[in-house]
Amino acid sequence: MSLWETQLRKGLAELAILAVLSREEAYGYRIVEKLRTLEGWTLSESTVYPILTRLAREGLLSIRTAASPTGPTRRFYQLTPDGKNHLSKLNQSWRSISGSLETLLAGERS
Amino acid sequence: MTMATTMELAKPLQALIDARLDTIDRMLMGQIPRADRLSILREVESQIEELLAERDAATITRDDIIEVLRQLDPPEAFVPEEIPDPAIRTPQSFSGKRTFSTNFRQNQAQTLSTGKPSSRAGLISGILGLSTFFSFFILLIIAYVIAVFFSSPELLIAEICAISFVGLGTSLCAIILGIMGRIQGIMPIVGMVKGALSVLLCVVVPIVVLMVM
């Protein structure tokens, strides 16, 4: 994988994590599992946990601890109001950039 | 480093998990805040337990633990990567681990690629160290000639003490400036080395002269 691709994927990981959490709260491993199912994009725990930790530190995520019926105590992450705003901004930026690029690439193809 | 373990494992098995967590902890030490490190470790430990919970707790073996650990990313994958500057591509900048030597090499590369020293303090240190070192010998010769001309050993001692005093001051300045700009090129290193040698000379020469005379 090229350096450019690696950096691109890493940069978008935050958006992907926030997108997962926009639907429902989830615990760390569950988020990793969900992101693993994305086609052509391997996001594993070494990428996800540091980002979750940073987002929680920045107040974009809140943490709720709950017992699990089978495994260990789970820490559920949830978007805070600031987190929702942040996701909205990232989403807007992503759409704007990807739209512009799509236009450029379409021109290249024609 | 066991954190919030709910699963009771035999000590040797728990030791395997602890060893993995400790390795990740060491990898992250100094890279991110302690609270973040603990949070990441808690998540990794939790993931290990989630994976082990799929098996019968009473029959978990060493091989089960190893198998679970094998599914995880290697500890070095947790080290935060920095986006490398394409202008200064060094092998170290892609490893993710930023060390003193990485900084030093990158700054050297920057200095070489731009052709100008990136640290004024380092440049002054180098010039000061070199000039102190060489002027010490020149001034010693001049002092000796003057003392011989006036046939005065006391004058020679006074001159050497004065030269050493001034030399000590300037060489200490060279060392301090070298420390301030030590990762910014070759000149600070020259300044520090020459400064240290000058300090040695400024201390040893007067003592030797006093002992001889």
Side-chain angles (χ1 to χ4, degrees):
Chain A
M1 195 186 298
S2 68
L3 176 68
W4 172 79
E5 204 176 339
T6 308
Q7 295 302 341
L8 181 70
R9 284 168 188 232
K10 288 235 172 202
L12 290 174
E14 181 175 328
L15 179 57
I17 291 168
L18 291 171
V20 168
L21 292 171
S22 69
R23 294 192 186 90
E24 56 178 351
E25 65 170 8
Y27 57 94
Y29 181 47
R30 181 81 187 115
I31 298 168
V32 172
E33 277 186 319
K34 281 196 171 191
L35 292 173
R36 268 192 185 142
T37 60
L38 294 176
E39 203 177 323
W41 196 4
T42 318
L43 274 178
S44 53
E45 67 273 7
S46 62
T47 305
V48 174
Y49 295 155
I51 294 175
L52 281 175
T53 300
R54 178 174 56 78
L55 293 174
R57 177 166 34 87
E58 289 171 354
L60 303 176
L61 300 179
S62 61
I63 301 172
R64 179 179 69 85
T65 310
S68 152
T70 53
T73 303
R74 289 170 174 167
R75 298 198 325 149
F76 285 85
Y77 293 88
Q78 193 173 26
L79 284 181
T80 62
D82 282 347
K84 285 176 184 164
N85 285 337
H86 186 61
L87 170 61
S88 172
K89 281 179 192 163
L90 287 185
N91 194 7
Q92 217 172 341
S93 297
W94 166 245
R95 284 180 193 282
S96 160
I97 291 168
S98 62
S100 305
L101 271 175
E102 192 54 45
T103 311
L104 268 177
L105 292 169
E108 191 81 6
R109 279 194 293 267
S110 61
Chain B
M1 181 181 286
T2 309
M3 302 173 90
T5 311
T6 52
M7 185 176 282
E8 286 299 320
L9 290 172
K11 272 188 179 175
L13 301 181
Q14 186 61 50
L16 283 173
I17 297 172
D18 290 350
R20 169 61 71 96
L21 296 172
D22 287 343
T23 310
I24 297 172
D25 190 33
R26 276 196 301 275
M27 289 275 173
L28 294 175
M29 204 170 281
Q31 307 270 348
I32 57 170
R34 185 172 179 272
D36 286 12
R37 240 169 50 221
L38 292 176
S39 175
I40 292 168
L41 291 174
R42 203 176 293 133
E43 289 297 345
V44 175
E45 185 173 32
S46 192
Q47 179 169 343
I48 293 170
E49 291 184 5
E50 291 278 356
L51 291 166
L52 288 173
E54 295 166 3
R55 299 153 204 251
D56 182 3
T59 60
I60 288 175
T61 63
R62 181 186 165 83
D63 288 342
D64 291 327
I65 304 279
I66 291 170
E67 179 55 33
V68 164
L69 295 180
R70 197 174 289 147
Q71 289 175 38
L72 302 177
D73 285 341
E76 57 271 21
F78 286 85
V79 176
E81 279 182 39
E82 287 184 19
I83 297 173
D85 183 349
I88 14 174
R89 282 192 176 190
T90 58
Q92 289 77 13
S93 63
F94 294 98
S95 69
K97 193 165 187 179
R98 217 175 150 79
T99 59
F100 171 81
S101 62
T102 310
N103 276 325
F104 179 76
R105 288 194 187 110
Q106 286 195 352
N107 282 308
Q108 268 197 324
Q110 199 166 23
T111 303
L112 291 171
S113 66
T114 55
K116 57 185 177 183
S118 53
S119 163
R120 188 175 288 272
L123 182 68
I124 296 170
S125 164
I127 294 169
L128 210 56
L130 281 169
S131 57
T132 305
F133 185 74
F134 291 113
S135 61
F136 185 81
F137 290 107
I138 295 166
L139 287 173
L140 269 187
I141 294 166
I142 294 171
Y144 181 75
V145 171
I146 293 171
V148 168
F149 183 78
F150 288 104
S151 303
S152 169
E154 291 81 12
L155 181 62
L156 181 64
I157 293 169
E159 284 172 334
I160 287 173
C161 286
I163 292 166
S164 299
F165 184 74
V166 174
L168 204 60
T170 51
S171 50
L172 285 174
C173 283
I175 292 171
I176 291 165
L177 287 168
I179 291 167
M180 284 166 68
R182 71 187 188 280
I183 55 168
Q184 304 271 333
I186 196 74
M187 285 303 272
I189 296 170
V190 172
M192 287 173 73
V193 171
K194 289 294 179 190
L197 284 172
S198 302
V199 167
L200 202 67
L201 282 172
C202 293
V203 173
V204 171
V205 170
I207 292 171
V208 171
V209 170
L210 283 171
M211 284 171 72
V212 170
M213 300 183 81

